[in-house]
Amino acid sequence: MSEKELIVQKIVEGTVIDHIEAGKALHVLSVLGISGEEGKVITIAMNVPSKKYGKKDIIKIENAYLSPEITNKISLISPHTTVNIIKNYKVVEKRAIEIPDEFVGIFKCPNPNCITNSEETMATKFYVPSKNPPLLRCKYCGRIYSPNEVM
Amino acid sequence: MAKLNPFKNKDVILIKDFTRDDLFYLFQKADKIERMPERDRICLLNGKILGYLFFEPSTRTRLSFEAAMLWLGGRTLGFAEPKVSSVEKGESLADTIRTVENYVDVIVMRHSKDGAASFAAEIASKPLINGGSGTEEHPTQAMLDLYTIIKEKGSIDNLKIGLLGDLKYGRTVYSLLYGLSKFNVEVKLISHPILRVRREIFFDLEKKVKISEHDNLEEILPDLDVLYVTRIQKERFPDLSEYERVKSSYNVNLKILQKAKDDLIILHPFPRIDEISPEVDSSPHAKYFKQMLNGRILRSALLASILDVPF
Ligand SMILES: [Zn+2]
């Protein structure tokens, strides 16, 4: 199947996550917290030929619009990913995934003694002190983590 | 021209937040307060109240802050352990802060959780001093450590400073390292391999200060100008068998000190267990009791600066 054909099979409404690093689609889904039990129609294509990267993965989620705060999480495992929001067959928004300067309320701090794990009303906050390779630092306990430690 | 007060209404959470100049400002104020006639000194914080919230008991730090406040004619109120407070009944940290800040002018807080002080300072509208949070930082301890080194050695630059003991969990170690990174020093970290400093230190300080890691104290000792000894803190070990393995790794005694420079000074944030033998107390190297006295003086200067009273 060519890249073209896949893109042609457009969905009516939803989110298309494209140019995922080959083989990482399942990891991306788990980072997004999508298990499939939500009942949405999800199409996953893995190791699809790609002109730009040789191979890539694609995820299509129908009738769900993922916010930048959520999709930016993907930047930590697959930096060149793009996100297309589809409404009525049309791409209404196309965005490149960026590593933000901070993640607020997205990850749980892995340090069991961190105050963010005992104060219930509190949002976690991670700074990104380095983007290449990406590192995360808890604003409160100051610990530094690699992305796979917090995801 | 008088220097602007960099501590006015400021939270004191991490020593990183203060510059070398800020620290010197504080040290000068501490010298000034120490020399002040009693009748002037006891009026400085007249009518001001320090609230102390010790979610984790620490008699030494609390007494030092209380003494610092009383010494300037201020008053204190608070709790010395969570058992007697509503925290025991499940009140959140945020609610405790919002309650207490109505009654006081400045807060000192100690907490066992990492990052608790940063969080509390976000909530509080009154200035908040971190009296130790988790394994993370204890900034006023580092300030008084640096103050003691300056008083004893005249300067901090160009010294070789050894940090010994529990470098992984000892929060005073982290604050002191960040404090020392503002000076031109060489730091030697001496510990059992499982008690090495956390990687954040190298991430933050590798380019700012010369740091090396060692496990043999006797080899390093002849080089040092300052030896900073810390207690191995049983309560911070997630695994007690690990504690049993390392608990008596080092002992500083008169015999080993024969290898040291004559003017080596030994500091310790206290309390101690067996890492410094009592026989060392009367040697000219021992400065840890002076260090405690300096603690009260420095904390007085800090409180007066935060509350911005003229002196
Ligand atoms: Zn944390």
Side-chain angles (χ1 to χ4, degrees):
Chain A
M1 212 187 307
S2 77
E3 186 178 1
K4 207 163 191 178
E5 277 172 76
L6 259 170
I7 289 167
V8 169
Q9 293 176 356
K10 277 183 174 167
I11 58 177
V12 190
E13 302 275 331
T15 306
V16 176
I17 307 170
D18 199 359
H19 301 112
I20 301 169
E21 239 171 73
K24 292 203 169 158
L26 297 178
H27 193 179
V28 166
L29 278 174
S30 91
V31 163
L32 294 175
I34 295 169
S35 66
E37 286 175 0
E38 301 82 2
K40 304 265 185 217
V41 177
I42 300 171
T43 316
I44 305 167
M46 294 179 75
N47 300 310
V48 177
S50 154
K51 272 186 215 117
K52 221 168 171 184
Y53 302 110
K55 272 196 226 168
K56 64 172 184 176
D57 290 2
I58 303 170
I59 299 170
K60 295 181 182 185
I61 307 161
E62 294 186 30
N63 299 310
Y65 309 105
L66 302 184
S67 69
E69 291 76 51
I70 299 292
T71 54
N72 276 344
K73 285 159 84 174
I74 303 170
S75 61
L76 297 171
I77 48 171
S78 173
H80 303 296
T81 303
T82 52
V83 174
N84 301 297
I85 302 294
I86 315 286
K87 286 186 179 165
N88 196 18
Y89 293 104
K90 287 206 177 75
V91 178
V92 293
E93 188 188 343
K94 189 178 184 86
R95 54 180 189 247
I97 294 286
E98 280 174 56
I99 301 186
D101 295 330
E102 57 181 45
F103 287 93
V104 179
I106 302 279
F107 303 117
K108 199 173 161 310
C109 182
N111 170 9
N113 197 47
C114 180
I115 184 71
T116 57
N117 289 316
S118 58
E119 198 72 7
E120 276 165 20
T121 57
M122 193 177 172
T124 60
K125 196 174 212 178
F126 287 87
Y127 296 129
V128 181
S130 148
K131 295 196 176 180
N132 190 19
L135 290 175
L136 297 168
R137 179 172 215 164
C138 174
K139 183 202 176 216
Y140 295 96
C141 72
R143 301 289 197 281
I144 295 174
Y145 299 101
S146 52
N148 60 12
E149 288 174 284
V150 296
M151 297 201 292
Chain B
M1 198 179 77
K3 242 198 251 167
L4 278 176
N5 172 6
F7 292 92
K8 181 181 175 178
N9 272 320
K10 264 267 185 77
D11 298 317
V12 179
I13 308 301
L14 305 172
I15 193 138
K16 283 180 251 191
D17 299 338
F18 298 93
T19 65
R20 181 179 165 127
D21 283 350
D22 295 345
L23 294 174
F24 277 111
Y25 174 93
L26 187 63
F27 299 157
Q28 275 169 15
K29 290 291 185 189
D31 286 345
K32 204 165 172 184
I33 273 190
E34 192 182 7
R35 290 192 309 261
M36 208 179 255
E38 188 183 347
R39 60 170 196 281
D40 298 337
R41 196 191 65 227
I42 57 164
C43 296
L44 275 182
L45 293 183
N46 203 348
K48 301 285 186 192
I49 300 175
L50 165 72
Y52 58 89
L53 312 183
F54 277 58
F55 295 90
E56 178 186 65
S58 165
T59 312
R60 208 178 35 85
T61 302
R62 181 176 53 83
L63 287 179
S64 176
F65 269 104
E66 282 207 75
M69 195 69 188
L70 299 173
W71 203 48
L72 305 186
R75 295 174 189 222
T76 68
L77 64 83
F79 56 86
E81 50 179 325
K83 274 203 192 75
V84 298
S85 74
S86 49
V87 176
E88 184 80 337
K89 298 175 199 137
E91 186 178 67
S92 74
L93 172 57
D95 285 354
T96 307
I97 297 285
R98 287 189 192 106
T99 306
V100 172
E101 71 169 346
N102 294 304
Y103 313 136
V104 302
D105 300 290
V106 53
I107 298 169
V108 57
M109 183 182 103
R110 188 180 187 100
H111 203 288
S112 61
K113 295 285 178 187
D114 301 325
S118 315
F119 172 63
E122 282 177 8
I123 306 273
S125 54
K126 299 280 167 63
L128 186 139
I129 304 171
N130 179 3
S133 58
T135 54
E136 181 205 17
E137 268 239 38
H138 192 359
T140 61
Q141 178 70 45
M143 288 170 177
L144 76 90
D145 295 339
L146 296 171
Y147 182 52
T148 303
I149 296 174
I150 288 200
K151 273 188 138 177
E152 295 297 328
K153 292 284 187 187
S155 147
I156 299 179
D157 289 322
N158 304 317
L159 295 180
K160 288 200 171 84
I161 299 174
L163 273 64
L164 173 73
D166 178 359
L167 308 183
K168 185 174 180 185
Y169 300 110
R171 54 188 153 202
T172 58
V173 168
Y174 291 86
S175 288
L176 183 56
L177 278 169
Y178 285 110
L180 286 172
S181 72
K182 299 172 194 300
F183 298 87
N184 176 25
V185 292
E186 206 177 315
V187 177
K188 299 190 182 283
L189 302 172
I190 312 145
S191 74
H192 189 285
I194 64 173
L195 291 179
R196 298 263 195 256
V197 291
R198 297 190 295 264
R199 62 176 162 169
E200 286 84 22
I201 285 293
F202 290 98
F203 184 86
D204 289 337
L205 301 182
E206 214 160 23
K207 289 182 189 114
K208 292 188 188 150
V209 58
K210 217 171 151 192
I211 306 184
S212 54
E213 294 186 299
H214 311 267
D215 36 50
N216 190 331
L217 172 63
E218 282 188 69
E219 255 172 53
I220 301 299
L221 193 60
D223 256 5
L224 298 178
D225 303 298
V226 179
L227 177 63
Y228 192 88
V229 187
T230 62
R231 169 176 73 99
I232 304 206
Q233 304 180 85
K234 189 177 181 181
E235 66 276 21
R236 309 231 179 261
F237 279 77
D239 176 0
L240 273 189
S241 66
E242 201 173 81
Y243 170 74
E244 293 300 325
R245 261 171 50 212
V246 299
K247 64 176 181 187
S248 297
S249 336
Y250 298 97
N251 172 253
V252 179
N253 51 46
L254 289 179
K255 186 167 167 272
I256 198 171
L257 284 172
Q258 286 171 357
K259 301 198 168 166
K261 286 186 189 170
D262 290 342
D263 61 353
L264 167 82
I265 62 166
I266 302 174
L267 303 179
H268 191 305
F270 267 57
R272 71 173 150 181
I273 308 173
D274 55 5
E275 57 279 2
I276 302 179
S277 297
E279 63 183 23
V280 178
D281 296 358
S282 52
S283 88
H285 300 297
K287 299 295 177 196
Y288 29 87
F289 296 115
K290 265 193 165 170
Q291 189 184 356
M292 279 186 211
L293 176 64
N294 290 337
R296 190 253 277 145
I297 299 167
L298 184 111
R299 286 176 174 129
S300 288
L302 181 64
L303 288 165
S305 301
I306 290 173
L307 295 170
D308 199 34
V309 292
F311 71 106

